[in-house]
Amino acid sequence: MLPLNPALAATFRPPVMEARRWLEGVSFPPERPLINVSQAAPVDPPPEPLRRAMAEAALNQPDAHLYGPVLGRPELREAVARAWSAAYGGSIRPEEVAITQGCNQAFCAAIQTLAAAGDEVILPMPWYFNHKMWLDMQGIATVGLRCGPGMVPDPAEAERLVTARTRAIVLVSPNNPSGAEYPAEVLRGFMELARARGLALVVDETYRDFDSRTGAPHDLFADPDWGDTLIHLYSFSKAYRLTGHRVGAVIASPARMVEIEKFLDTVAICASQIGQIGAAWGMANLGPWLAAERAEILRRRAATASGMAGLAGWRVKGCGAYFAWVEHPFDLASPDLARRLVAEAGVLALPGTMFMPQGDAEGARHLRIAFANADLDGIAALMDRLAGFRP
């Protein structure tokens, strides 16, 4: 047998693909179709005007089919720098922006510049499983930080976990999987902790476009020295439904961009040109459309929170952006419950164990529900099925 990388071999398999395998051999009658609230991704294609703009680029722009700059198309980097500077009240330059193949690659690039095998990175729990997977593959130890009320982590608790091997703290807000929106003062507290201890603060804001709050969610970019501590991650996949085109971004200091460019050139050379063209077009033209998308997601959030409140024994621990993190009332571990919900209720959700350390009791008590994948009628049907489920 050919040799395997032991760190990669020890990494768990992709959770969403694992959940899809639970559907094999299960049929869902037309009058009771599957309600799939497992994956956090838009289920519809981009709006037609955006698709037309991308199609026209494919037909009429020769460079749409060629390698581009490793750090991204200049017009998209410039657009991100302008928009983020305005939104966060700070100063971000195009040379501090890199375009990546989705936000997952942005995370991998950032971590590759920060840590190596034997180092440690702090992740709040529950964590986004792809972050944990990448750390495992690199031999970097994940140090779990338990969240407090509202599923919000505490900088003081994080400080107790910092050791000589700690290289970074990673935050996701709005959070995947809990949906929690971290208060600005909490993010500022983590920034101060990271700076004081010589760490990087990596803030993944993939779901920033669906934050329920108005105005800037934090003031970290208003700090003129933000680049000495902060690395910001973003995805265009959710805002403009560009999931299949793989377009994300990382914002960091110019010195770190030198290292990020090495990584990106090695693993992909550049992000999709057509995807980048689409993202830039969306930023320039889809403001009102995106506002309507946000309003719809907020309606689905409210419907989910209201519906879950009416389910006996269920408890919503966090709800926001695309997700609800819920505690179930059954004497079943969440993986067993999730499989039974497929077969007996026609519902596909992810068990909390996919977001927590192996054997952690909290993981067994929770499910993640990606409510953004269901319309209001679908959410109502979901609540009816959960209410009627009897293990």
Side-chain angles (χ1 to χ4, degrees), residues 287-364:
W289 178 87
L290 182 54
E293 288 286 288
R294 174 179 177 269
E296 174 61 22
I297 293 299
L298 293 180
R299 283 190 287 271
R300 296 180 187 188
R301 171 186 177 173
T304 300
S306 175
M308 295 299 303
L311 297 181
W314 292 80
R315 182 183 175 198
V316 176
K317 306 289 277 294
C319 188
Y322 271 39
F323 311 103
W325 180 253
V326 298
E327 186 174 11
H328 67 80
F330 305 115
D331 189 22
L332 283 174
S334 59
D336 298 325
L337 173 61
R339 288 182 178 87
R340 289 190 59 177
L341 284 172
V342 170
E344 300 172 33
V347 172
L348 181 63
L350 297 188
T353 50
M354 290 180 169
F355 307 89
M356 298 289 283
Q358 187 173 6
D360 189 284
E362 286 295 297

Side-chain angles (χ1 to χ4, degrees), residues 107 111 121-124 131 168-172 200-204 233:
F107 175 80
I111 293 298
V121 170
I122 295 173
L123 300 185
H131 288 174
I169 302 169
V170 178
L171 304 178
V172 182
L201 177 64
V202 180
V203 180
D204 181 334
L233 312 179

Side-chain angles (χ1 to χ4, degrees), residues 64-88:
H65 306 281
L66 306 177
Y67 288 141
V70 172
L71 293 177
R73 295 177 69 89
E75 64 269 27
L76 183 53
R77 297 174 72 191
E78 291 165 5
V80 170
R82 284 195 306 271
W84 265 240
S85 294
Y88 290 93

Side-chain angles (χ1 to χ4, degrees), residues 7-366:
L8 182 60
T11 301
F12 53 86
R13 297 179 70 180
V16 170
M17 298 300 103
E18 161 109 8
R20 287 184 184 178
R21 286 189 282 272
W22 301 342
L23 303 177
E24 295 173 3
V26 183
S27 60
F28 304 97
E31 67 276 11
R32 199 167 187 257
L34 174 71
I35 299 176
N36 188 342
V37 286
S38 64
Q39 188 171 19
V43 295
D44 296 315
E48 184 174 341
L50 177 53
R51 281 180 278 154
R52 288 188 179 277
M54 295 168 71
E56 289 171 5
L59 287 171
N60 301 314
Q61 285 188 231
D63 73 329
H65 306 281
L66 306 177
Y67 288 141
V70 172
L71 293 177
R73 295 177 69 89
E75 64 269 27
L76 183 53
R77 297 174 72 191
E78 291 165 5
V80 170
R82 284 195 306 271
W84 265 240
S85 294
Y88 290 93
S91 178
I92 300 166
R93 297 171 292 166
E95 57 265 35
E96 294 167 326
V97 178
I99 305 304
T100 60
Q101 285 195 315
C103 195
N104 271 6
Q105 190 185 72
F107 175 80
C108 297
I111 293 298
Q112 199 74 6
T113 74
L114 291 167
D119 291 335
E120 297 175 350
V121 170
I122 295 173
L123 300 185
M125 298 186 296
W127 47 52
Y128 174 44
F129 45 68
N130 283 153
H131 288 174
K132 176 65 162 60
M133 291 173 72
W134 181 253
L135 296 177
D136 287 352
M137 291 176 196
Q138 302 307 304
I140 300 167
T142 299
V143 178
L145 169 63
R146 293 198 180 274
C147 291
M151 303 305 297
V152 175
D154 183 346
E157 292 297 320
E159 187 168 19
R160 296 186 178 96
L161 301 177
V162 175
T163 72
R165 295 194 297 161
T166 307
R167 298 293 176 263
I169 302 169
V170 178
L171 304 178
V172 182
S173 179
N175 188 258
N176 177 4
S178 76
E181 299 170 346
Y182 296 169
E185 60 271 20
V186 170
L187 287 163
R188 170 56 60 182
F190 274 102
M191 181 85 152
E192 292 171 354
L193 167 61
R195 177 172 283 152
R197 299 301 294 269
L199 310 176
L201 177 64
V202 180
V203 180
D204 181 334
E205 293 190 86
T206 290
Y207 300 95
R208 68 185 288 274
D209 301 289
F210 308 102
D211 197 305
S212 67
R213 300 166 292 185
T214 57
H218 59 75
D219 63 355
L220 302 185
F221 282 116
D223 184 333
D225 298 317
W226 64 264
D228 66 11
T229 302
L230 178 64
I231 300 174
H232 167 96
L233 312 179
Y234 177 68
S235 171
F236 294 93
S237 296
K238 311 305 187 285
Y240 303 112
R241 303 180 185 167
L242 290 170
T243 52
H245 293 281
R246 312 309 304 128
V247 191
V250 54
I251 299 176
S253 70
R256 192 162 301 277
M257 282 297 164
V258 172
E259 309 308 314
I260 288 173
E261 186 178 40
K262 298 174 189 176
F263 177 82
L264 296 179
D265 186 57
T266 305
V267 300
I269 299 181
C270 60
S272 157
Q273 298 300 309
I274 292 176
Q276 291 186 73
I277 291 167
W281 193 94
M283 290 185 70
N285 296 281
L286 291 181
W289 178 87
L290 182 54
E293 288 286 288
R294 174 179 177 269
E296 174 61 22
I297 293 299
L298 293 180
R299 283 190 287 271
R300 296 180 187 188
R301 171 186 177 173
T304 300
S306 175
M308 295 299 303
L311 297 181
W314 292 80
R315 182 183 175 198
V316 176
K317 306 289 277 294
C319 188
Y322 271 39
F323 311 103
W325 180 253
V326 298
E327 186 174 11
H328 67 80
F330 305 115
D331 189 22
L332 283 174
S334 59
D336 298 325
L337 173 61
R339 288 182 178 87
R340 289 190 59 177
L341 284 172
V342 170
E344 300 172 33
V347 172
L348 181 63
L350 297 188
T353 50
M354 290 180 169
F355 307 89
M356 298 289 283
Q358 187 173 6
D360 189 284
E362 286 295 297
R365 298 296 310 157
H366 292 82

